[in-house]
Amino acid sequence: MIKTAISRYYFTKITLCLLLTFLLHTGNVCSETNKFEGEVLKYNIGFWLFKKVGTATFKCEKDGDNLVVTIDAHTEGFLGKIIHRHNNYRTTMVIDDITDRLKPINSYEKKIKRKKERVMVTDYDYENNICNYKTWRRGVVHKEGSLEQESGVCDDMISVTYNFRNEIYGEVKEGSSFNISTVYKDKSPNFSANVRSAEDSDELSKWQDIIPDIKYVVDVALDPELLDSKEGKLVVLLTDDLIPVGYVAKDVIGFGDLYGFLEEDVN
C-alpha cells in the first residue's frame, strides 16, 4: 500500500483538491478586501488509515492595491521522509474596476519531489489577451509558450477561487450550478460545481463525528486525469456559513478516497 502511495502524482493531486475546496469559502472580496488580510486556513491531508500525512496552508495578504495568495503544501511524518513532497503556489491579482473581477497578473508555482525541483511562472497580458508561461527543471528552462485567451477567460486556479467567493459567477446556494474555465500552461480546463443540501445524506454519516455541522455538499466534476481518478469526482463539505471544512476525492487510482479536513481557521 505504501509503495502505491508514493505515486509521483500523489501530492499534486491532493493540493489541487484542497485548492478546489478553498474556493467555496464565500465572501465579498472586492468591496471588503481588508477582511481577508492575514487570513490563514490550514488543512490536514490523509488517506485510508493515514489520517495525517501532510498539511496545506493558505495565506491571503494585501500588497498595495493587489491581493496575494500563497499556498504551502508539504508531506510530514514517516511518509514525508520516504516521498518528500513540497509544493508552493503564489498568485498576485488585481481588481478590475468595471467588473469587480480579480484578475491574475502573475502566477508562480514550485514543486519539489525528493531532490527534483520544477518551477513555472505565468504572466498575464490583458492588452493582447495572451498568457505567457515558462517552466524550469533543475534550474534550466524546460519549456515556454503562450496561450491566446477567449474574451473573459483569464483565471488561474487561485484567482478563480476568489471570484467564486465573491460570487462573480453567480449566487452560491442550494441548487446552484457553475461551469468555470481556467488557464494552465497551454490549456483552458473547465470544471463544473453543483451545490446540494447535506440533509439525509448517508454518504456523509461517517464524517459527522470528525467534521460537525456539515450543511452543504458541493459535487465538483473535473477531467479525470487532473485527479488521477476513475471519474474525476470531488466532494466538498461546507457548513451553514459556507466555510469549507473538508473534501473527499473519490476513487483516486491506487488510493480509493482521499480526504482533507480544516484544522485551523485564523482571521
Side-chain angles (χ1 to χ4, degrees):
M1 182 68 186
I2 294 179
K3 288 184 178 179
T4 303
I6 60 178
S7 162
R8 65 189 182 91
Y9 297 106
Y10 171 63
F11 204 60
T12 299
K13 306 306 178 185
I14 288 181
T15 305
L16 173 61
C17 293
L18 288 169
L19 183 57
L20 292 173
T21 298
F22 182 67
L23 69 82
L24 297 167
H25 184 183
T26 59
N28 191 329
V29 176
C30 296
S31 62
E32 299 181 53
T33 302
N34 289 337
K35 70 180 280 189
F36 291 95
E37 285 188 65
E39 179 186 69
V40 178
L41 295 175
K42 184 177 181 180
Y43 293 87
N44 286 333
I45 301 170
F47 77 99
W48 195 47
L49 298 178
F50 302 99
K51 294 184 178 180
K52 186 175 181 180
V53 298
T55 61
T57 303
F58 294 74
K59 293 183 180 180
C60 179
E61 301 173 296
K62 193 175 181 182
D63 182 12
D65 294 330
N66 299 328
L67 194 66
V68 181
V69 174
T70 303
I71 304 171
D72 185 83
H74 59 274
T75 51
E76 296 181 344
F78 80 96
L79 277 181
K81 294 179 180 179
I82 296 173
I83 64 178
H84 184 56
R85 301 289 188 276
H86 192 170
N87 294 354
N88 185 271
Y89 307 85
R90 183 182 68 248
T91 294
T92 300
M93 299 170 286
V94 64
I95 301 172
D96 188 294
D97 293 333
I98 298 177
T99 64
D100 280 343
R101 185 172 185 153
L102 281 162
K103 303 191 301 184
I105 56 179
N106 176 268
S107 299
Y108 168 88
E109 68 175 55
K110 179 168 70 173
K111 299 177 182 180
I112 297 175
K113 175 189 173 184
R114 296 176 184 160
K115 296 182 179 181
K116 296 181 180 180
E117 179 180 292
R118 297 183 179 183
V119 174
M120 183 173 75
V121 174
T122 305
D123 293 303
Y124 298 82
D125 181 352
Y126 293 104
E127 182 176 349
N128 296 304
N129 215 25
I130 293 176
C131 295
N132 301 301
Y133 70 92
K134 183 181 291 188
T135 64
W136 289 262
R137 291 186 181 180
R138 299 178 181 176
V140 179
V141 174
H142 173 69
K143 185 178 181 180
E144 57 185 313
S146 299
L147 176 64
E148 184 174 352
Q149 294 300 299
E150 297 180 4
S151 178
V153 180
C154 57
D155 287 316
D156 73 345
M157 289 304 297
I158 289 181
S159 67
V160 76
T161 67
Y162 280 92
N163 284 323
F164 194 104
R165 296 174 65 180
N166 200 34
E167 299 183 297
I168 292 296
Y169 310 116
E171 183 180 359
V172 178
K173 61 181 180 180
E174 182 181 348
S176 296
S177 296
F178 305 92
N179 188 44
I180 304 170
S181 297
T182 58
V183 174
Y184 188 76
K185 291 184 180 178
D186 56 354
K187 300 178 181 180
S188 296
N190 286 21
F191 67 88
S192 65
N194 299 293
V195 184
R196 59 184 169 92
S197 172
E199 288 187 28
D200 302 321
S201 178
D202 294 336
E203 66 183 301
L204 300 180
S205 59
K206 63 181 178 180
W207 305 111
Q208 292 290 349
D209 293 336
I210 303 174
I211 312 177
D213 304 322
I214 300 173
K215 179 68 174 180
Y216 298 110
V217 179
V218 181
D219 298 302
V220 180
L222 301 158
D223 183 330
E225 184 178 353
L226 293 176
L227 287 180
D228 200 21
S229 67
K230 295 180 180 179
E231 298 183 8
K233 292 183 178 180
L234 177 68
V235 178
V236 181
L237 313 177
L238 305 176
T239 66
D240 188 37
D241 295 327
L242 300 179
I243 297 175
V245 289
Y247 77 87
V248 182
K250 307 293 290 185
D251 295 323
V252 176
I253 297 173
F255 304 100
D257 294 348
L258 297 176
Y259 55 82
F261 302 135
L262 182 66
E263 176 186 80
E264 185 177 2
D265 183 351
V266 180
N267 292 289

